[in-house]
């Protein structure tokens, strides 16, 4: 690589812009040094079958920093940019691949969480708190409300969202956005259960699942015959459940596909064209049953080490662990993007990281 004066000045400008952005929002900005060694040791192969998905000369990069809690990434190929939420700062951010710059796409975003691109290239968003609704941003910038009530009562706190090829929109509705003041406004739930919903092409809203405790991330298999859903309060651990999808949108055949049994915290995830699940991962915050001595104090330590858990776990369609992408921060959600749909964007606490892989997003 030629480090010309122009390249160095441009790089310094990008860092300065990122720092100013972070300071303006009062969030933390963290330095990151990509590994100069190929292959990147951050990509840990747990099963030899993953070898075909690793690009030997690709390393994890930090493309944005300065967020308080990065979530809900969605890629828009028409413009070559990534949109993602910074929930506590109540904004949606935009990372432009052409310029490498990150800017505020929408302030006062009603604590937006999950985002997705619909089949017409429009942004659909889970407004996580305050408004507690699903919206679509039209091509002219106008916002259309797709759902805010079910059976006459307000939704809980829409969390994650996907769009099926028949143009139906599916989303989860746990309680996180109304449980406290960090990700929105503390309010009383009106729904008796935490549901998974489907908005049909004609706009009809139906609850397709009502028996999961705080459902979180969700994604379809490449053929859309299965729907995978994270249950945040899974027993005994966070889990991904697999369902068969009927032609009428009904779900059946509930099967546990993945159990986060090593203190891992499943959150958002995406599926590649081969059906593998790429899952945001980190500590679930569980404490040891007994305290340990730390500097003369009795401290209840975490089960597992966050520094060993933070990153992305990749599973086969059968739920077999294939790889772990180690990151310096907990990954909440991710998506595939880039011109060839083979760049993995990982929204991770204060930052967004990217890695080119030999896999392609199913959507």
């Amino acid at each position: 690589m030629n480090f010309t004066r122009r390249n160095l000045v441009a790089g310094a400008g990008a860092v300065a812009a990122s720092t100013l952005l972070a300071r303006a929002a009062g969030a933390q900005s963290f330095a990151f040094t990509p590994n100069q060694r190929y292959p990147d040791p951050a990509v840990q192969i747990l099963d030899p079958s993953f070898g075909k998905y690793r690009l030997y000369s690709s390393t994890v990069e930090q493309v944005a920093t300065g967020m308080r809690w990065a979530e809900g990434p969605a890629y828009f190929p028409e413009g070559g940019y990534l949109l993602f939420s910074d929930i506590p700062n109540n904004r949606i951010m935009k990372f432009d691949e052409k310029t490498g710059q990150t800017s505020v796409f929408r302030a006062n975003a009603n604590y937006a969480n999950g985002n997705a691109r619909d089949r017409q290239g429009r942004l659909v968003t889970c407004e996580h708190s305050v408004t507690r609704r699903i919206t679509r941003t039209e091509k002219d910038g106008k916002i259309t409300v797709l759902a805010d009530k079910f059976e006459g009562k307000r939704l809980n706190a829409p969390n994650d969202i996907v769009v099926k090829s028949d143009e139906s929109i599916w989303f989860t509705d746990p309680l996180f956005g109304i449980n406290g003041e960090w990700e929105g406004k503390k309010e009383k739930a009106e729904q008796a259960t935490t549901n998974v919903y489907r908005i049909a092409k004609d706009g009809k809203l139906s609850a397709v699942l009502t028996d999961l405790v705080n459902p979180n991330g969700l994604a379809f298999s490449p053929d859309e015959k299965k729907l995978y859903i994270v249950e945040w309060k899974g027993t005994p651990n966070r889990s991904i459940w697999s369902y068969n999808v009927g032609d009428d949108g009904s779900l059946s055949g509930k099967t546990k596909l993945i159990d986060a049994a090593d203190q891992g915290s499943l959150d958002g995830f995406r599926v590649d064209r081969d059906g593998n699940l790429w899952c945001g991962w980190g500590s679930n915050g569980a404490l040891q049953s007994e305290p340990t001595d730390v500097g003369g104090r009795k401290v209840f330590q975490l089960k597992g080490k966050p520094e060993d858990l933070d990153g992305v776990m990749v599973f086969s369609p059968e739920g077999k662990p294939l790889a772990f992408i180690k990151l310096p921060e907990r990954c909440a959600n991710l998506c595939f993007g880039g011109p060839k749909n083979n760049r993995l964007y990982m929204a991770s606490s204060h930052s967004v990281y990217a890695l080119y892989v030999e896999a392609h997003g199913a959507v």
Side-chain angles (χ1 to χ4, degrees):
M1 181 179 292
N2 294 319
F3 289 97
T4 65
R5 183 177 184 276
R6 179 178 294 178
N7 289 337
L8 291 173
V9 170
V15 172
S18 176
T19 301
L20 287 172
L21 178 64
R23 287 176 180 172
Q28 295 87 358
S29 178
F30 290 98
F32 174 75
T33 302
N35 199 296
Q36 71 183 75
R37 191 178 304 282
Y38 289 151
D40 191 342
V43 182
Q44 301 174 359
I45 294 179
L46 308 180
D47 187 275
S49 64
F50 184 80
K52 64 182 180 180
Y53 300 113
R54 182 191 67 180
L55 281 170
Y56 183 90
S57 53
S58 172
T59 58
V60 173
E61 307 165 71
Q62 183 194 66
V63 299
T65 190
M67 274 57 68
R68 281 201 170 101
W69 183 242
E71 252 282 10
Y75 184 75
F76 291 77
E78 302 90 344
Y81 59 84
L82 180 81
L83 297 180
F84 61 95
S85 298
D86 181 8
I87 304 176
N89 281 325
N90 193 18
R91 59 187 185 171
I92 298 175
M93 309 300 293
K94 177 181 179 180
F95 168 69
D96 190 315
E97 288 182 324
K98 299 180 182 68
T99 65
Q101 299 296 304
T102 301
S103 59
V104 177
F105 174 80
R106 178 179 296 156
N108 301 316
N110 298 315
Y111 298 92
N113 191 335
N115 298 287
R117 174 187 176 276
D118 75 4
R119 301 292 164 150
Q120 284 73 46
R122 299 168 297 189
L123 170 68
V124 290
T125 298
C126 293
E127 295 187 358
H128 195 48
S129 190
V130 183
T131 50
R132 296 155 62 177
R133 63 188 186 180
I134 302 298
T135 62
R136 182 177 66 221
T137 302
E138 308 297 345
K139 294 295 183 68
D140 62 3
K142 293 181 179 179
I143 294 177
T144 300
V145 178
L146 302 179
D148 59 359
K149 292 182 174 67
F150 178 66
E151 295 182 343
K153 298 178 180 179
R154 296 184 72 189
L155 299 175
N156 294 320
N159 186 283
D160 208 351
I161 190 165
V162 291
V163 181
K164 199 167 177 281
S165 61
D166 63 2
E167 300 184 37
S168 60
I169 297 170
W170 303 60
F171 67 95
T172 55
D173 192 37
L175 298 170
F176 310 135
I178 58 173
N179 272 343
E181 306 293 344
W182 177 241
E183 294 186 358
K185 180 182 178 183
K186 187 173 183 177
E187 294 183 299
K188 184 178 180 180
E190 296 182 20
Q191 298 293 328
T193 51
T194 53
N195 303 332
V196 178
Y197 292 101
R198 174 181 182 264
I199 306 174
K201 187 177 180 179
D202 63 6
K204 181 181 178 181
L205 178 68
S206 58
V208 292
L209 286 177
T210 61
D211 64 343
L212 293 183
V213 182
N214 283 324
N216 199 324
L218 75 170
F220 286 99
S221 61
D223 61 7
E224 299 183 331
K225 292 183 178 180
K226 291 188 179 296
L227 177 65
Y228 306 118
I229 305 171
V230 169
E231 185 175 19
W232 189 78
K233 282 292 186 182
T235 304
N237 308 300
R238 295 194 187 187
S239 308
I240 292 183
W241 296 96
S242 171
Y243 295 85
N244 299 320
V245 183
D247 293 339
D248 59 352
S250 61
L251 301 178
S252 63
K254 180 181 180 182
T255 304
K256 182 177 284 192
L257 181 68
I258 296 167
D259 187 301
D262 65 347
Q263 290 78 53
S265 178
L266 284 159
D267 202 329
F269 66 101
R270 290 294 180 266
V271 178
D272 67 25
R273 292 177 187 172
D274 291 340
N276 302 306
L277 288 76
W278 301 64
C279 306
W281 205 260
S283 169
N284 63 9
L287 300 176
Q288 300 281 358
S289 59
E290 298 294 333
T292 56
D293 187 274
V294 178
R297 298 184 180 90
K298 295 296 184 182
V299 178
F300 285 89
Q301 304 273 33
L302 291 171
K303 292 182 178 179
K305 296 180 179 180
E307 60 268 29
D308 295 332
L309 295 169
D310 290 343
V312 172
M313 281 288 295
V314 186
F315 296 90
S316 73
E318 295 74 35
K320 181 179 182 179
L322 301 180
F324 179 67
I325 302 169
K326 186 175 177 61
L327 298 175
E329 305 179 66
R330 181 190 186 279
C331 180
N333 212 329
L334 49 85
C335 73
F336 287 91
K340 299 180 180 179
N341 201 26
N342 68 335
R343 194 180 196 189
L344 185 69
Y345 283 108
M346 299 164 280
S348 306
S349 302
H350 303 287
S351 309
V352 175
Y353 298 90
L355 176 69
Y356 285 100
V357 293
E358 202 63 78
H360 301 79
V363 178

